[in-house]
Amino acid sequence: EAQVTQNPRYLITVTGKKLTVTCSQNMNHEYMSWYRQDPGLGLRQIYYSMNVEVTDKGDVPEGYKVSRKEKRNFPLILESPSPNQTSLYFCASRDRAVYSNQPQHFGDGTRLSIL
Amino acid sequence: GIQVEQSPPDLILQEGANSTLRCNFSDSVNNLQWFHQNPWGQLINLFYIPSGTKQNGRLSATTVATERYSLLYISSSQTTDSGVYFCAVSTSGTYKYIFGTGTRLKVLA
């Protein structure tokens, strides 16, 4: 089954404790992306990746890091999480990167709570 | 950058009613999707529709790219249609996606 898988689905942690949210897709997609969703602000793009070793900032990249060492994986790293990063996070992938007329496929979301 | 506005922000319907949700965007797009976010927070892909008209059961969507808007029609609404509906766009030459702020739909039994 074609899917985007995020882990963990839920996490409660404390300020400053490094964490990684994993994202994996099995569709051989070039393009992958991370979003956060906050009440009243909708979904905002954090980072995206055009292909292996090619990443770029979205609209809200501060406090986050990403890496794309393999085509299928695109982890989101919070080096020193803070309470303002409490949010619902989504990973997405799309077939081709350059020709953007393809639909995105989303994971089920990760609910992070930073105390 | 491109602006995406959705209307109405909130909508309450009686079961069986029809509704139209609107997505306006401020620039040309080559990628437009409609999503339903269910009560569990999952984003369900409804339509990929940068132009034209598509139908899937009780749902249909139309995008008039030249006039920079898209419409999502829900007919004979059911309580399971409740949730938030988002449109998301991307423009040619960029790799960023911009989401609208959504329409929150509640369907009453």
Side-chain angles (χ1 to χ4, degrees):
Chain A
E1 179 189 352
Q3 58 186 3
V4 178
T5 304
Q6 297 178 224
N7 280 296
R9 294 289 315 281
Y10 305 90
L11 179 63
I12 301 174
T13 187
V14 296
T15 300
K17 185 177 181 181
K18 181 179 178 180
L19 68 91
T20 299
V21 185
T22 63
C23 175
S24 180
Q25 49 92 7
N26 63 0
M27 296 169 278
N28 201 37
H29 283 173
E30 288 184 352
Y31 182 97
M32 297 185 75
S33 183
W34 278 102
Y35 299 86
R36 62 178 288 174
Q37 183 179 18
D38 303 289
L41 296 175
L43 282 94
R44 294 176 292 167
Q45 196 167 28
I46 303 171
Y47 270 96
Y48 60 91
S49 170
M50 303 287 287
N51 213 325
V52 175
E53 304 290 3
V54 182
T55 63
D56 206 350
K57 297 177 181 179
D59 289 327
V60 287
E62 296 78 19
Y64 304 95
K65 284 176 58 177
V66 293
S67 69
R68 187 94 181 272
K69 292 181 169 41
E70 303 167 284
K71 199 171 187 180
R72 63 182 290 124
N73 296 323
F74 190 44
L76 180 69
I77 303 158
L78 285 73
E79 294 269 1
S80 183
S82 61
N84 64 11
Q85 292 177 298
T86 293
S87 189
L88 177 59
Y89 291 85
F90 289 97
C91 180
S93 71
R94 188 183 78 203
D95 186 11
R96 296 293 303 278
V98 175
Y99 300 103
S100 63
N101 55 344
Q102 298 287 333
Q104 290 191 100
H105 302 263
F106 280 80
D108 285 343
T110 294
R111 200 171 290 276
L112 281 185
S113 183
I114 316 291
L115 304 177
Chain B
I2 189 169
Q3 305 295 315
V4 182
E5 295 181 354
Q6 290 186 242
S7 60
D10 296 280
L11 187 59
I12 300 176
L13 298 174
Q14 206 64 40
E15 198 169 29
N18 302 329
S19 62
T20 301
L21 282 57
R22 188 176 180 103
C23 172
N24 291 333
F25 39 94
S26 60
D27 202 350
S28 299
V29 301
N30 67 348
N31 190 319
L32 189 148
Q33 286 182 262
W34 281 98
F35 296 92
H36 174 216
Q37 188 167 35
N38 64 23
W40 295 271
Q42 295 170 313
L43 282 167
I44 311 300
N45 191 1
L46 297 176
F47 293 103
Y48 167 71
I49 187 166
S51 63
T53 297
K54 290 186 178 180
Q55 180 156 6
N56 184 2
R58 296 181 297 103
L59 302 180
S60 63
T62 295
T63 296
V64 184
T66 53
E67 297 187 23
R68 300 181 182 171
Y69 72 89
S70 183
L71 301 174
L72 177 68
Y73 305 97
I74 305 174
S75 64
S76 303
S77 57
Q78 301 175 357
T79 56
T80 51
D81 294 331
S82 296
V84 185
Y85 290 80
F86 292 100
C87 65
V89 305
S90 182
T91 59
S92 178
T94 77
Y95 309 106
K96 291 185 177 182
Y97 277 88
I98 305 298
F99 277 75
T101 50
T103 291
R104 185 174 299 275
L105 173 65
K106 185 165 187 176
V107 181
L108 304 176

